[in-house]
Amino acid sequence: MHLLLTRPNAGAEPDPLRDALIAAGHHVTLAPLLSIVPTGTVPSFDGVQGLIVTSRNGLKASLPFPEAVLSLPLYAVGPGTAALGRSLGFRRVREGAGTGRKLQALIASEADPAAGPLLHLAGETLAYDLKGALEAQDFTVRTEIVYRAEPTGAFPPDAVEPFRQGAFDGVVLMSPRTARVYAKLVADAALGAPARGMAHFCLSEAVGRELETLGGVRLMVARLPNSQEMLALIAREASDSASARLAPKG
């Protein structure tokens, strides 16, 4: 399939999702709809019992980590963030199931409120009030805003004409905010008609809800909110589409 991938630009770094899609035989056009900008905040790790990261960007914007910090528990929202944590040298990575709510449950089951504060390396916009939920369970959470996501003003030029001509089989949307920006750009560029001919692969129901303003686009939601389940969802759709093309007519 020809897919429009809307994740923020990873720059020179590899994007595991993009690489996995290409390895699976898909043609991928990049259309980053958010730019990740570090805030320049230097987190203080003094006295914390562990770190919380709800995005890979929280780790990347906080580099480098002192050696002593790498021995602290790292509570990562999902497999991709956990994998990055391990690659950076964290030795006690605890992997969540892909949502802030499930990460909260993991932390509450393993950490001790009396052992000191938890440090959340966060973005400016948070989809779930993890701090409030944990503080209701007697934890102390310090939040450091280490990055912000700035929306782009338009689709990349090399994506607009293929979009208009219906060249894309699907678009990959990994966050509610990305989906919100996507819906606005589709409306602004009068691309609603070709959008309705594409599959919209959404990480979660919350992502799909942001597309309601487009009116009737085809939504496909991952069974769990992580990259592995998105890849499985896309693989199922690719298989179904191939079967439909090969089915005898009449």
Side-chain angles (χ1 to χ4, degrees):
M1 290 195 297
H2 189 176
L3 299 171
L4 187 68
L5 182 59
T6 61
R7 292 236 287 191
N9 197 333
E13 296 182 29
D15 181 336
L17 180 59
R18 176 192 60 198
D19 293 347
L21 289 169
I22 292 172
H26 302 295
H27 177 43
V28 177
T29 295
L30 299 179
L33 301 187
L34 297 173
S35 297
I36 302 301
V37 181
T39 61
T41 298
V42 179
S44 170
F45 302 103
D46 292 346
V48 302
Q49 64 162 303
L51 309 184
I52 301 171
V53 282
T54 46
S55 165
R56 297 168 78 245
N57 297 310
L59 286 171
K60 291 189 287 186
S62 303
L63 292 171
F65 290 97
E67 177 61 30
V69 172
L70 298 177
S71 65
L72 294 174
L74 177 72
Y75 296 99
V77 69
T81 305
L84 178 58
R86 294 186 190 101
S87 74
L88 294 174
F90 282 92
R91 296 182 283 276
R92 299 168 63 191
V93 178
R94 304 298 297 130
E95 183 177 306
T99 68
R101 192 179 302 277
K102 290 181 178 179
L103 184 61
Q104 171 212 335
L106 173 65
I107 295 168
S109 71
E110 296 193 358
D112 180 359
L118 294 156
L119 177 63
H120 184 187
L121 302 173
E124 190 174 54
T125 302
L126 299 174
Y128 176 69
D129 183 11
L130 187 57
K131 174 181 171 71
L134 286 169
E135 289 185 341
Q137 295 178 290
D138 297 325
F139 287 93
T140 299
V141 179
R142 292 204 327 247
T143 302
E144 296 275 13
I145 305 300
V146 295
Y147 72 93
R148 64 180 181 273
E150 298 181 347
T152 60
F155 287 113
D158 63 345
V160 174
E161 195 54 33
F163 199 132
R164 197 177 303 282
Q165 293 178 2
F168 294 117
D169 300 297
V171 56
V172 182
L173 298 160
M174 298 293 286
S175 76
R177 191 174 183 203
T178 299
R180 195 178 315 132
V181 173
Y182 168 83
K184 181 180 185 304
L185 295 182
V186 166
D188 289 349
L191 295 171
R196 285 187 284 276
M198 299 160 51
H200 288 70
F201 299 106
C202 300
L203 185 69
S204 66
E205 296 285 355
V207 173
R209 284 195 292 272
E210 296 293 341
L211 304 179
E212 291 176 356
T213 57
L214 295 179
V217 295
R218 184 157 61 102
L219 303 182
M220 307 188 74
V221 180
R223 290 172 179 170
L224 292 172
N226 60 55
S227 295
Q228 289 89 335
E229 287 296 331
M230 282 290 278
L231 290 168
L233 174 67
I234 293 166
R236 289 193 296 272
E237 171 63 13
S239 176
D240 291 346
S241 297
S243 297
R245 287 195 298 270
L246 294 173
K249 301 295 189 292

